Amino acid sequence: MAKPQAGDYGIFYENYVNRVGAANLHEAVTQYSQLLTDFFTTLPEQKADYQYAPGKWSLKDLLQHIIDTERIMSYRLLRIARKDTTPLPGFEEGDYATNANAPGRSFSALKEELTALRKSTDLLIQSLTEEQLANTGTASGNSATANAIGYIIFGHLLHHQQIVEERYL
């Protein structure tokens, strides 16, 4: 299935979808998965608690945010792909960050969890047919295809990779 078009997702996610250069979601797995996993799992230990400005997330907080967001988005992907039309609620990322206890976790544990989650998400994406990717549901009050949710997952990772490169390293 081709890259999603406007109307396949809420306008808020346009920046994420546009970051992904792959022609289809299965190509995105091949093109980005290992590179992104390697990027985030090789971040230097000495930067784990670094914040680029007061009140900003540390790299631990950022990894936890990426993990939480991918879990939520992969759940949305699964539900929509399986034709579950129950509207899926949004989530408040700040509340998740406040209540995640990332500072109390080791950087290596966060990296290990991210690696396992990324593999799980990739396997889910690879299992989906074109018909399943075309299914539409509602998430955060917006209509979205399963295909678009997959692109949002990769776009979110690419967004945070850029932030890390610009502000943390």
Side-chain angles (χ1 to χ4, degrees):
M1 165 163 266
K3 187 171 182 170
Q5 302 299 309
D8 289 344
Y9 50 87
I11 192 71
F12 172 80
Y13 296 109
E14 186 170 25
N15 180 45
Y16 295 148
V17 172
N18 287 340
R19 287 178 179 273
V20 182
N24 62 64
L25 193 51
H26 294 276
E27 184 181 298
V29 171
T30 302
Q31 184 175 343
Y32 296 110
S33 288
Q34 194 61 55
L35 292 172
L36 287 164
T37 300
D38 290 348
F39 175 79
F40 288 110
T41 59
T42 59
L43 292 172
E45 182 70 33
Q46 65 270 24
K47 292 277 195 166
D49 295 311
Y50 173 74
Q51 297 169 286
Y52 67 87
K56 295 298 183 180
W57 289 342
S58 69
L59 278 179
K60 281 183 175 180
D61 293 319
L62 184 69
L63 282 185
Q64 186 65 67
H65 163 73
I66 290 168
I67 290 165
D68 289 348
T69 302
E70 184 157 333
R71 282 191 194 284
I72 291 165
M73 290 301 192
S74 63
Y75 177 68
R76 290 175 176 181
L77 173 63
L78 173 67
R79 297 259 318 251
I80 293 170
R82 299 289 193 258
K83 292 189 175 185
D84 184 339
T85 58
T86 307
L88 300 165
F91 70 102
E92 178 49 53
E93 67 182 30
D95 291 343
Y96 273 69
T98 299
N99 294 295
N101 189 36
R105 298 188 63 193
S106 73
F107 207 31
S108 62
L110 287 162
K111 291 176 179 182
E112 182 179 6
E113 184 177 354
L114 178 63
T115 299
L117 178 59
R118 289 271 44 267
K119 181 65 174 175
S120 177
T121 300
D122 289 345
L123 290 169
L124 171 61
I125 289 169
Q126 291 169 328
S127 77
L128 299 174
T129 65
E130 297 283 319
E131 180 179 274
Q132 290 169 319
L133 289 171
N135 290 338
T136 302
T138 303
S140 298
N142 295 290
S143 178
T145 64
N147 187 52
I149 299 294
Y151 269 80
I152 292 164
I153 290 169
F154 282 105
H156 184 253
L157 289 163
L158 290 164
H159 164 75
H160 283 295
Q161 178 186 22
Q162 181 180 356
I163 288 173
V164 169
E165 289 171 339
E166 292 173 353
R167 301 178 187 170
Y168 289 86
L169 300 179

